[in-house]
Amino acid sequence: ETGVTQSPTHLIKTRGQQVTLRCSSQSGHNTVSWYQQALGQGPQFIFQYYREEENGRGNFPPRFSGLQFPNYSSELNVNALELDDSALYLCASSLVSGGLYNEQFFGPGTRLTVL
Amino acid sequence: QQQVKQSPQSLIVQKGGISIINCAYENTAFDYFPWYQQFPGKGPALLIAIRPDVSEKKEGRFTISFNKSAKQFSLHIMDSQPGDSATYFCAASMIGNFNKFYFGSGTKLNVKP
């Protein structure tokens, strides 16, 4: 059983550019959540995908968007990058079945630096 | 508005001592309270979690104490070890809202040998 993986590990972009981050969920999991963790802060919920549809969103602008694919992997896209978007982006996957919650597992994150 | 407030920001404990981290929440609809441990360069990993129907949960050296009326919960690490040095996050969520977790700001624990 493989854990949650994310790519790339590190990324440097300039202000105004667009970025795509990728996440492969743990085997058997059908739900992916994305979090932004600024330096020295706790993770903040961006959104969640369940069965390929967005299922809940935090307080992030529309330039943060995502996708979930049939194999339950996911992408986070950020347009018009701003300096404050510099952070560790975490993906977490879990199995939701019959409305019952199961533990979510985090990937190691992608460190995004916006210059 | 910060949904979960965590203190202290940093903590230094001698090996063998007790580490205590506190969290407070506002939303009484929260019904799941996990603690996560994060090492540098890694994602958070679930350490221990509690539901509000119990006041305490113990797993090995880790104990969560939960006070529903005060809307507070805390993590106690007994016999703290240098390997426990990490950043700890409390979190809260509503199970019916799947995995929308609200995290505290974190506590950096340093256990000195």
Side-chain angles (χ1 to χ4, degrees):
Chain A
E1 181 181 279
T2 57
V4 180
T5 60
Q6 292 186 243
S7 63
T9 306
H10 296 89
L11 201 53
I12 298 175
K13 291 285 188 179
T14 57
R15 194 170 46 182
Q17 285 189 310
Q18 179 267 343
V19 69
T20 297
L21 311 182
R22 294 177 176 82
C23 170
S24 290
S25 59
Q26 186 163 314
S27 176
H29 287 182
N30 58 10
T31 301
V32 172
S33 300
W34 285 92
Y35 291 82
Q36 180 194 66
Q37 186 177 17
L39 201 61
Q41 298 296 316
Q44 287 199 34
F45 178 80
I46 302 175
F47 44 54
Q48 179 187 89
Y49 278 84
Y50 172 61
R51 292 183 176 177
E52 302 178 55
E53 292 194 1
E54 187 179 293
N55 178 45
R57 188 179 184 93
N59 190 26
F60 281 82
R63 59 188 186 84
F64 286 77
S65 63
L67 283 173
Q68 187 180 33
F69 299 100
N71 66 354
Y72 302 120
S73 65
S74 178
E75 286 182 356
L76 165 64
N77 299 290
V78 187
N79 294 321
L81 284 168
E82 300 177 0
L83 297 180
D84 285 349
D85 295 334
S86 295
L88 180 69
Y89 287 85
L90 295 163
C91 162
S93 76
S94 65
L95 172 64
V96 176
S97 177
L100 295 179
Y101 164 82
N102 290 285
E103 178 185 346
Q104 66 177 347
F105 294 85
F106 283 86
T110 293
R111 173 70 64 187
L112 172 65
T113 301
V114 182
L115 302 176
Chain B
Q1 181 189 9
Q2 193 174 2
Q3 298 264 7
V4 180
K5 295 182 179 179
Q6 182 172 348
S7 63
Q9 188 175 13
S10 62
L11 185 60
I12 299 174
V13 174
Q14 292 294 322
K15 178 182 175 181
I18 302 173
S19 303
I20 302 175
I21 304 171
N22 301 298
C23 282
Y25 64 96
E26 289 297 322
N27 190 341
T28 55
F30 288 145
D31 56 6
Y32 181 71
F33 301 90
W35 283 91
Y36 285 86
Q37 181 188 56
Q38 186 176 27
F39 293 104
K42 304 287 187 181
L46 180 66
L47 195 60
I48 186 172
I50 198 168
R51 296 281 189 98
D53 53 346
V54 296
S55 60
E56 187 175 280
K57 183 174 181 180
K58 184 176 180 179
E59 290 184 1
R61 296 184 294 110
F62 301 93
T63 300
I64 298 179
S65 296
F66 186 83
N67 186 330
K68 189 174 181 179
S69 60
K71 294 188 287 186
Q72 295 176 345
F73 59 111
S74 59
L75 175 69
H76 297 233
I77 305 174
M78 312 300 287
D79 187 26
S80 298
Q81 299 296 312
D84 296 331
S85 297
T87 299
Y88 293 81
F89 294 96
C90 60
S93 75
M94 291 168 272
I95 295 297
N97 209 9
F98 292 163
N99 293 346
K100 186 175 181 179
F101 282 74
Y102 296 88
F103 283 81
S105 54
T107 296
K108 189 170 185 178
L109 172 64
N110 184 6
V111 181
K112 292 198 171 293

